[in-house]
Amino acid sequence: MIHCSVAELDEALMSPIPEVLEVVRNLQGPVVILGAGGKMGPSLAGLARRALDALGRSDPVIAVSRFREAGSRQWFHDRGIETIAADLFDPLAVAALPDTDTVLYLVGLKFGTSQNPAVTWAANTLIPAAIATRYCRSRIVALSTGNVYPLVSTSGPAASEDHPLTPIGEYPNAAVARERIFEWHSRSNDTPMVLVRLSYAVDLRYGILHDIARRVWLGQPVPLATGRFNCIWQGDANAMILRMIPHACHPPLVLNLTGPEALSVRDVALELGRLMHREPHFSGSESDTALLSDTRRCRDLLGDPTTTVDDMIRATADWVSQDRPSLGKPTHFEVRNGIY
Ligand SMILES: NC(=O)c1ccc[n+]([C@@H]2O[C@H](COP(=O)([O-])OP(=O)(O)OC[C@H]3O[C@@H](n4cnc5c(N)ncnc54)[C@H](OP(=O)(O)O)[C@@H]3O)[C@@H](O)[C@H]2O)c1
C-alpha cells in the first residue's frame, strides 16, 4: 500500500480472501447493503461483488442509500453493483426494498448531533425499527459502534461485549438504542442478527491514523487527552463483516470489531512524524481513560485481522505526505464527552 493510487487502494480493500469466498459461496440471492453511500459501504459492496464474480455468480449486490454526494452512484455502477436511491425514513421506500436473505446494515448518524440531536435519535432508532420489521425473515449484520461503551481505564481491562452500555452523550446513547431496537426485533421475531461494535476502521482517506497523520504533517498539535485507541484496517473489517453472516442468530450475536492493540496516540504520532520527517506537536496530556474494546470473542470466532499496525502507519504516512485525497470526514477521536 506504499505509493498506491486511489484505484489501487480500492483494489486492495475489495480483494476477497479465501475465507470471504467460502462465506459468499453459501449466500443465496441478492446481498442488500443499507447505508452504502458512506465511508465503508463502497468498499464493502465492492468486496461482496468481487467475491461473487470470483465464484462465477451473478447474484446482485444492491447498495441502498440516499446518494447525496454527486457521482457516488456511478462509482457503484462502474463496478457492477446495483443501486437504489432511497431515504429509509420513508415507509414506502422501505416497503419497496428488494427481498433478500442477507442484509448488511450500515446506516448511522453521528456528526452534527449537538446541532440537531432529534435527527440523530430518529435515524438511529426509527430506521432500525423499520428495517428490522421489513427484513424480519432475513439475516441482518448490523453495524454498531464501540461508542456504546463508557470510557474505561487505560490500565484496566478493555470493554468486552458484556460491559454495561452506559456511555455519556446523545450520539452514544442513540447508538445503544439502535442496538436495543435490533435486539428487541430479533428476540420478538426470531430474526438472526449480528450486532457489530466497530471501532475506528482505517482507510487511507479517513480514519484515526489519517487524522493524526494530517495533524503531524500540517504542524497542528495532536490532542493527547484520549491517549489510547484501537483500530482496524477497513479491508479486514469488511472481510470480517461478510464472514459474520453465517453467525447471525437470535438473540443477536454481539461482537466487538477492531484491532487487538491499545495503541498510544503519542507513540503513533511520533512514528508518523519519523516517517514523514516532521516533528509532532502535542496538546494536553493523556488521561487515564479511553474507549477501548476487548476483541477476544471476535478473534476466537474469525481470527486476527491480517493487516498489521505497522503496515497501516507506513501506508498512512506515505499517503498523507504525498498529499493524496482525504474524505474530509474527521473522526473527532479527541471527543471525550460524547458530544459530536
Ligand atoms: N467507519 C468507522 O470507522 C466506524 C466506526 C464505528 C462504527 N461505525 C459504524 O459503521 C456504520 C458504517 O460506517 P460508515 O463510516 O460507512 O458510516 P457513514 O459514513 O456515516 O455512512 C452511513 C451512511 O448511511 C446513509 N444514510 C444515513 N441516513 C440515511 C437515510 N435516512 N436513508 C438512507 N441512507 C441513509 C448515508 O449515506 P447517504 O447520504 O448516501 O444516504 C451515510 O453516509 C455506521 O453506522 C457507524 O455507526 C463505523
Side-chain angles (χ1 to χ4, degrees), residues 35 37-41 65-68 86-89 106-108 127 143-145 171 178 198-201 206:
K39 299 184 292 298
M40 297 188 69
S65 231
R66 291 164 301 184
F67 299 112
R68 292 183 304 177
D87 184 341
L88 298 175
F89 277 124
L106 272 60
V107 181
I127 297 177
L143 268 289
S144 176
T145 165
Y171 164 69
R178 174 171 60 177
L198 174 64
S199 293
Y200 291 127
Y206 86 96

Side-chain angles (χ1 to χ4, degrees), residues 15-310:
S15 297
I17 56 173
E19 293 88 339
V20 167
L21 293 176
E22 205 45 50
V23 165
V24 169
R25 186 188 309 280
N26 295 315
L27 300 183
Q28 284 178 353
V31 177
V32 172
I33 304 180
L34 304 173
K39 299 184 292 298
M40 297 188 69
S43 57
L44 179 60
L47 178 62
R49 183 66 271 156
R50 285 292 177 80
L52 284 160
D53 290 347
L55 296 163
R57 296 260 304 275
S58 58
D59 314 57
V61 175
I62 305 173
V64 181
S65 231
R66 291 164 301 184
F67 299 112
R68 292 183 304 177
E69 281 179 27
S72 59
R73 272 182 103 171
Q74 193 59 44
W75 187 96
F76 291 91
H77 296 163
D78 290 346
R79 287 156 185 82
I81 300 159
E82 298 180 16
T83 62
I84 296 175
D87 184 341
L88 298 175
F89 277 124
D90 175 357
L92 294 177
V94 171
L97 290 173
D99 290 339
T100 178
D101 283 346
T102 311
V103 176
L104 305 177
Y105 183 92
L106 272 60
V107 181
L109 187 59
K110 176 176 186 178
F111 298 111
T113 299
S114 53
Q115 288 86 47
N116 191 350
V119 72
T120 293
W121 281 96
N124 291 314
T125 58
L126 301 180
I127 297 177
I131 294 304
T133 303
R134 168 67 184 84
Y135 286 116
C136 64
R137 300 279 162 255
S138 310
R139 290 185 292 192
I140 303 176
V141 176
L143 268 289
S144 176
T145 165
N147 279 101
V148 295
Y149 301 119
L151 302 177
V152 296
S153 168
T154 51
S155 56
S160 73
E161 289 82 354
D162 302 321
H163 198 90
L165 304 187
T166 52
I168 55 167
E170 293 216 43
Y171 164 69
N173 281 287
V176 174
R178 174 171 60 177
E179 278 198 19
R180 292 302 188 212
I181 285 168
F182 274 124
E183 179 189 344
W184 182 76
H185 281 82
S186 171
R187 288 179 182 275
S188 304
N189 301 319
D190 294 348
T191 306
M193 294 188 188
V194 185
L195 300 176
V196 189
R197 293 180 184 155
L198 174 64
S199 293
Y200 291 127
V202 167
D203 182 308
L204 300 180
R205 293 159 287 199
Y206 86 96
I208 188 165
L209 297 183
H210 178 95
D211 291 353
I212 297 172
R214 275 186 68 83
R215 283 176 183 264
V216 173
W217 182 247
L218 297 172
Q220 298 169 347
V222 178
L224 288 176
T226 300
R228 293 202 173 259
F229 67 96
N230 312 114
C231 65
I232 182 170
W233 177 242
Q234 184 157 294
D236 289 340
N238 287 341
M240 297 228 182
I241 289 165
L242 290 177
R243 291 174 61 205
M244 288 173 189
I245 295 168
H247 298 282
C249 57
H250 53 84
L253 173 67
V254 181
L255 292 174
N256 288 342
L257 177 60
T258 190
E261 305 90 350
L263 302 173
S264 152
V265 171
R266 186 190 293 271
D267 291 349
V268 167
L270 288 168
E271 178 61 5
L272 286 163
R274 190 186 68 76
L275 292 165
M276 299 191 296
H277 310 292
R278 289 278 205 278
E279 183 75 27
H281 305 283
F282 296 103
S283 62
S285 59
E286 289 88 346
S287 47
D288 55 9
T289 57
L291 266 184
L292 295 169
S293 297
D294 178 337
T295 58
R296 277 175 294 181
R297 185 184 289 175
C298 185
R299 284 155 58 212
D300 284 349
L301 200 64
L302 301 174
D304 281 328
T306 54
T307 309
T308 66
V309 172
D310 199 43

